[in-house]
Every structure is written in C-alpha cells, then in structure tokens.
Amino acid sequence: MSGDAQARPAGQTPAPLLALRQVSKSFGAVEALVAVDLEVHAHEVVALVGDNGAGKSTLAKVVAGVLTPDAGLVELDGETVQVPTPSAAHALGIATVFQDLALCENLDVTANLFLGRERMAGGLLAEGEMETQTRATLDALNARIPSVRTPLAQLSAGQRQSVAIARTLIGSPRLVVLDEPTAALSVVQTAEVLMHIERLRDLGLGVVLISHNMNDVRAVADRIVVLRHGRNNGTFDAASASYESIIAAITGASHAGARG
C-alpha cells in the first residue's frame, strides 16, 4: 500500500486497499447483494452494519473467496483481482474470521495459529519457532493468554476470539474481515477484542468489522457502511454521525447515500 501511494503524484488520493464495485450475488430468486460498493483503506476500520438478511455475511464471504459474485469487481490497491477460493484470498493478503472461528478445541494455542500452515525443520515440526512467533503475535495484539501451550478448550470465549484474530496475522495479511467478533462475549471480553481491532489498524491493516452492536461499532470504526436488503443505504463518519441517523439507514427511514 505504501509503495502504491508513493508512486502516485503528490496530493492524489491513493487507491483503496480493498474496493468492491457494483457487486451483486443472488441465490435463486433471492437477491442477497445488489450493486454493492465498499471501500477500505489501510489503517482504517470500516464497520458493515444492517439488519438480519441485509447481506453482510454474504459480502464477507465474497471478500473471503467463499462465494463468487454474479457481477461486479473486486479490487486490491486499484487492481482488479479474482478471489475464487479462500486459498486465493489468503494469497492476496485477505484474512477472515467467521463466527464459528474454525479452531480446534483439542489443540493448544500454537497449534491453532499454525493449523494447516505448520513450519517444518529437518522433516520435523519446528515447534520452538512456531511457539516464539505465536507469543510475538499475541503480544502484538496485547492478547491476555498466559501460555501458548494452553489447550483451546481451557480458554474463555474472549480468549478464543483472540486466538482466531491472532491466527489471521500468521499469513501477514493486508486486510482482515471480522464477522460478529463480539457476539456472546462478556463486557470485559468485548473490550479486549475491540482493543485487538484497534491494534490491527495500528499495525497498518484494513479491517472490515461486521457487527450488530452499535456501541462496539462506534467505539472502533472510522466509517460505518449500512446495507439494507442487499443494497448500500448510507455511509457515515463514525466520529460525527448520530446514533439516530445510522439506525434510520438500517431501518429504511432514510435513503441510500445519507451521510452523518
């Protein structure tokens, strides 16, 4: 991203890290996404909000390579890319944490972070190297997990979310998509996860935060994008937009394109 910005003339706005242009996706007669636009820059948290069925998770799956859009473009740093599979997304620097976390309770923290990406040395697992990187990654997030050898089954829900977020950093991503990361967490656990999101932004990543919790969204987001019935229905500056204006866009009381 920095190299792209340096290559541009002075004063010209750099291309977004991620841009969705007129993306549509249908399932039979159901239009899940209709000509949706979304932009995310490096060092930015963009919250994606909307009622149930608004298309938030479908959009996340398009970015993650789980679903292929019927129409529209996906761009990274201004270049059109194809994201046909989750592996392709990972190769492009896109990491996603869905609500099920995709972690293994019988494995310890280190094994979960490197699951499917294990480091080898001389034909054996490089356990020391992986443990060292796991500790460094958790420290970078300020995650409160005492031992990287702790089995996941012994961790709290909040600590498991910390592990899932830390796992995204193993692949050195540029963009992280988080689908309802604070759902069913306590107040203390939620605060820690929100701190992780802020750390991802501080590390220079672009973050897409999908959430129903407006307090969480307003606490960490730079911009808020509202989806309603699979369509864009407003983009707001998180620092200045009123709660009422965002809710009006979610419920349909205000028209698409409203800005707070």
Side-chain angles (χ1 to χ4, degrees), residues 31 34 69 106 130 159 167 219:
E31 295 181 319
V34 183
N106 61 315
M130 290 190 291
Q159 289 173 319
R167 186 173 188 267

Side-chain angles (χ1 to χ4, degrees), residues 219-239:
V220 298
D222 297 293
R223 286 188 297 117
I224 300 169
V225 174
V226 177
L227 290 185
R228 177 169 167 76
H229 299 320
R231 294 169 169 81
N232 289 108
N233 203 44
T235 299
F236 300 86
D237 177 74

Side-chain angles (χ1 to χ4, degrees), residues 43 137 140-141 169 173 196-206:
H43 291 280
T137 302
L141 285 173
L169 294 178
H196 296 339
I197 295 171
E198 292 178 329
R199 285 294 296 148
L200 292 175
R201 175 175 54 202
D202 293 344
L203 291 169
L205 281 65

Side-chain angles (χ1 to χ4, degrees), residues 179-201:
D179 190 4
E180 298 285 357
T182 60
L185 296 186
S186 69
V187 172
V188 172
Q189 292 168 350
T190 294
E192 185 165 356
V193 169
L194 295 179
M195 180 182 67
H196 296 339
I197 295 171
E198 292 178 329
R199 285 294 296 148
L200 292 175
R201 175 175 54 202

Side-chain angles (χ1 to χ4, degrees), residues 16-25 33-40 59 62-64 67-84 92 94 232:
L17 174 59
L18 169 76
L20 301 186
R21 310 288 189 195
Q22 297 291 290
V23 167
S24 297
K25 180 66 179 179
L33 298 173
V34 183
V36 170
D37 292 324
L38 176 71
E39 291 188 355
V40 184
L59 185 143
V62 167
V63 175
L67 294 173
T68 301
D70 300 328
L73 300 175
V74 179
E75 298 177 355
L76 287 177
D77 289 330
E79 299 293 331
T80 301
V81 297
Q82 302 297 320
V83 194
L92 290 167
I94 300 170
N232 289 108

Side-chain angles (χ1 to χ4, degrees), residues 96-163:
T96 306
V97 180
F98 291 109
Q99 291 187 60
D100 62 6
L101 300 185
L103 300 174
C104 296
E105 290 202 358
N106 61 315
L107 300 179
D108 66 20
V109 173
T110 299
N112 270 286
L113 256 68
F114 285 90
L115 190 62
R117 309 173 202 164
E118 291 81 1
R119 303 281 171 81
M120 306 296 291
L124 300 174
L125 287 174
E127 294 185 359
E129 176 189 342
M130 290 190 291
E131 288 184 4
T132 298
Q133 186 168 350
T134 296
R135 186 74 268 165
T137 302
L138 292 171
D139 289 346
L141 285 173
N142 296 325
R144 299 172 183 171
I145 297 176
S147 173
V148 298
R149 293 176 177 266
T150 304
L152 199 77
Q154 296 180 17
L155 299 181
S156 69
Q159 289 173 319
R160 294 181 193 200
Q161 188 65 248
S162 298
V163 171

